[in-house]
Amino acid sequence: VSTTTLSLSPVLPLDSFGNVLLFLFNIFLATAIVSLNLSVFLSIAINRALRNENRFMYMLSTCFSDVCSGLSYYYVGVLDVQDHYDSPTRTYYVAPTFLGLSYMVILAAQADRYHAVAAPFAYGRRMTRGRTAVVIACIWVYAFFIVGVNNLVTVSAAKKVTSIGTFVCNVFTVVIMIGLNIRLYVIAKYHLERELPSPERESKRSSVYLIVVVAVFFLATWLPIFLHIIVCNFLGSSCYSFRNEGSDPLRVLPRVNAVITPLLYLRGCAPLRETLYTKVWKALCPTR
């Protein structure tokens, strides 16, 4: 183990009010990510009715990956860490993978909602709970397969593979996510209005609106770093211009989204809120 790893200092020297404020903010952000996502994860896990719906299985996945992302942020965000290939303080591509998992699962959830609303009968036959679990499992296996590959090949080879893969993935997934957002909004705005009032219609509408809003906030917090990486790929320059991860606003924004997402889940789903208040938080903080 290198001496650099053993003598890590705070994200910035604690010699000014601004640096102390940033240090405390990153601790608060990591704590908020872990506590909110763990609360929502437990609320879904203990509620059988929620677990039986495919959309909540995607929520389970994003909450779990964001909990891991929040735990890793105590290291990469609170301390003086540069998480890239040739850095002695790197996380071997694990910490950014948890962020990427949330992104991929939310994209899959958008496709799932589009399928459910655009072709409800076909969706009911094809996307069983087991198949949804397989889709989510494949995303996780693929993500950590890439982690393994990046850690087995040479640094130069890993940089080339990741540079090309990230560029292509960013362009295509952003276009797909924006396109699905527009399409889902059109469906929610027009198609669902034509259906007769029923609990099923209201459930469809709320699930579509929720995933659209989640995706909008996701894009708002991720697009700056996506555009930065794309520009860096075109120019052939380094994308790590800040001192470390915790002081780089482009890398802090996706972590802020990891706080916004569970709040949106709670805001958009009354049964989830009720489970959180009456079972999870009440069990953690019982009143006398």
Side-chain angles (χ1 to χ4, degrees), residues 81 116 199:
V81 170

Side-chain angles (χ1 to χ4, degrees), residues 17-206:
F17 178 74
N19 289 0
V20 172
L21 203 61
L22 178 64
F23 178 71
L24 294 176
F25 168 78
N26 284 347
I27 292 177
F28 171 78
L29 179 59
T31 304
I33 293 171
V34 173
S35 58
L36 283 171
N37 282 284
L38 184 58
S39 296
V40 174
F41 179 87
L42 291 174
S43 299
I44 299 173
I46 65 177
N47 190 319
R48 180 177 296 179
L50 296 181
R51 292 199 316 270
N52 287 336
E53 292 189 42
N54 290 348
R55 60 185 176 127
F56 287 102
M57 295 182 68
Y58 289 105
M59 290 184 193
L60 271 176
S61 180
T62 57
C63 287
F64 183 73
S65 59
D66 283 341
V67 167
C68 296
S69 180
L71 291 173
S72 68
Y73 198 63
Y74 281 113
Y75 174 68
V76 299
V78 175
L79 302 177
D80 184 14
V81 170
Q82 286 195 354
D83 198 11
H84 56 86
Y85 288 108
D86 48 4
S87 169
T89 56
R90 67 192 182 277
T91 64
Y92 296 91
Y93 208 60
V94 172
T97 296
F98 287 124
L99 280 175
L101 275 165
S102 295
Y103 175 60
M104 292 168 67
V105 171
I106 286 178
L107 182 61
Q110 273 194 291
D112 179 85
R113 288 301 87 198
Y114 175 77
H115 187 194
V117 177
F121 297 110
Y123 177 84
R125 293 194 305 271
R126 295 171 186 167
M127 290 309 297
T128 61
R129 188 165 174 267
R131 288 179 180 177
T132 301
V134 169
V135 170
I136 296 170
C138 287
I139 293 173
W140 278 78
V141 169
Y142 168 76
F144 280 96
F145 172 77
I146 298 300
V147 172
V149 170
N150 275 282
N151 287 312
L152 290 174
V153 300
T154 62
V155 171
S156 59
K159 284 182 178 180
K160 289 179 182 178
V161 172
T162 303
S163 176
I164 297 170
T166 302
F167 173 72
V168 174
C169 180
N170 287 350
V171 172
F172 278 96
T173 55
V174 167
V175 170
I176 292 170
M177 186 172 281
I178 292 173
L180 280 176
N181 251 14
I182 296 172
R183 183 62 179 159
L184 280 170
Y185 178 79
V186 170
I187 289 173
K189 181 73 175 177
Y190 299 105
H191 292 197
L192 290 179
E193 296 294 337
R194 297 175 182 176
E195 293 186 15
L196 295 175
S198 66
E200 184 181 359
R201 189 192 73 165
E202 292 306 313
S203 176
K204 285 183 184 178
R205 179 188 294 178
S206 63

